[in-house]
Amino acid sequence: MSGPIDKALRRRAEAVIPGGMYGHQSVGLLPDDYPQFFTGGEGAHLTDADGRRYLDLMCAYGPNLFGYAHPGIDAAYVRQLEKGDALTGPTALMVELAEAMVAMVGHADWAMFCKNGTDATTMAMMTARAHTGKQGLVLARGAYHGAAPWCTPRPSGVIASDKAHQHLCAYNDIASLEAAVAAAGDDLAAIFAAPFRHDAFIDQAAPDLAYARRARELADARGALLVVDDVRAGLRVARDCSWSAIGVAPDLSTWGKCIANGHPISALLGADKARKAAASIYVTGSFWFAGAAMAAGLETLRLVRDTDYLERIQALGETLRTGLAERASAAGFGFRQTGPAVMPLFLFDDDPDLRKGFAWSSAMLARGVYVHPWHNMFLCAAMTEADIATALDAAEAAFADLKRNAASLGPVEKLAFLAAR
Ligand SMILES: *Cc1c(COP(=O)(O)O)cnc(C)c1O
């Protein structure tokens, strides 16, 4: 189980926080030894409430790109905090940040800022509906676009009309994309696409070029907008929209998570075509124009432009991937590493209820490496070759543990629903 301080915090949380924790920060679907609470992070490392330090391959589920408590980015944040954060109006930083994002992202002519990725994806939906006067959305089944009623993955508290006018397709499946567009008939506002398939519990998949091009064509043919939801992958796989790598430009893209290295800001970026519609929707928030996160965003973008962070995390990711593949196969495990090497997801062959994945992840955690058994992970620019070597040593020992114990592993009860899918 998690440490004594973590356990005590969980008990107290249960009294004053519904369910003790909610959403993706709940450790309900992680192995029992995973901590829920932390005291801090530094670079690529994380310290839990019981003082245990981990090399963190989750990177806060995305926000950590340059390292926790990054001195330069946090100094920019604090400088603006000291001058004033949420004011009666925005600072010049808002204009500077919009200029910086538009300069960086090829398809974009304008930017609007908000706080969470869900704000940005919801604004994308509203902009598309305002632009087209239509209601229909084509979404890939299982793709995550946030936690508002129209996109939250769980049914509780959601009514049928929240999810009306949605036509689901299978990612990378052109026939199913065409069928979903056909089902929308002449009522199509937007086709949403993840930059690659990064759904939980299943192998990740690169975007098929033909699928991405067909999505572009279908959107154009219907006068609908194409949206790439880059909230999770943005800036981790390219210094541009993630689909720039395959040469398909969306009309709208959504950004969040790491664009200010963990400070709260997200963005909707768009092409001129959608500018009038974006100006017409009423969207705002008390904290959306606060300057400190914008200052952090500008410094993050400067590092994105001026450093080789991307090439470095890609090289580290490849070293990790190759080393893990060697160690898994030496131990006799089919171990699938999918998605970009900088955003890997690990699943074991012949592991329908993830009992191997849980046991291996726990063995990694016990050796000071925080991995996730069913969600994609993230590399950050604070990681070093020595960190990757540490992860590989831990993995070798964890595979050996698993080999010893594999036959005696029981079912993971909390994941019983997976077998039923
Ligand atoms: C995390 C995420 C969101 C939602 O962002 P929040 O900041 O959690 O609201 C939307 N889309 C994708 C692809 C995400 O990964």
Side-chain angles (χ1 to χ4, degrees), residues 24 61 115-119 121 144-147 194-195 198 229-233 254 256-257 266:
H24 76 294
Y61 287 77
K115 280 290 146 191
N116 270 285
T118 305
D119 301 331
T121 55
Y144 187 68
H145 295 299
H198 51 37
D229 180 0
D230 238 345
V231 169
R232 190 179 314 181
T254 52
K257 300 226 160 90
S266 59

Side-chain angles (χ1 to χ4, degrees), residues 100-227:
M101 292 217 68
V102 164
M104 177 167 296
V105 175
H107 81 85
D109 298 309
W110 52 262
M112 293 168 80
F113 298 106
C114 34
K115 280 290 146 191
N116 270 285
T118 305
D119 301 331
T121 55
T122 301
M123 284 161 66
M125 172 184 75
M126 291 171 70
T127 299
R129 285 177 170 165
H131 177 77
T132 57
K134 308 279 173 76
Q135 305 173 85
L137 307 176
V138 167
L139 307 166
R141 196 172 290 109
Y144 187 68
H145 295 299
W150 71 273
C151 55
T152 189
R154 297 244 188 103
S156 188
V158 175
I159 58 173
S161 60
D162 290 329
K163 301 239 178 189
H165 316 293
Q166 296 186 0
H167 308 279
L168 302 183
C169 68
Y171 193 80
N172 272 348
D173 179 336
I174 292 182
S176 121
L177 172 67
E178 288 171 345
V181 169
D186 64 4
D187 188 36
L188 182 64
I191 299 175
F192 272 70
F196 56 92
R197 192 178 70 206
H198 51 37
D199 309 349
F201 297 110
I202 59 170
D203 291 327
Q204 301 191 89
D208 184 6
L209 177 57
Y211 175 81
R213 285 193 179 143
R214 190 72 185 123
R216 180 68 273 175
E217 278 168 16
L218 288 167
D220 288 341
R222 305 287 173 127
L225 298 185
L226 177 62
V227 184

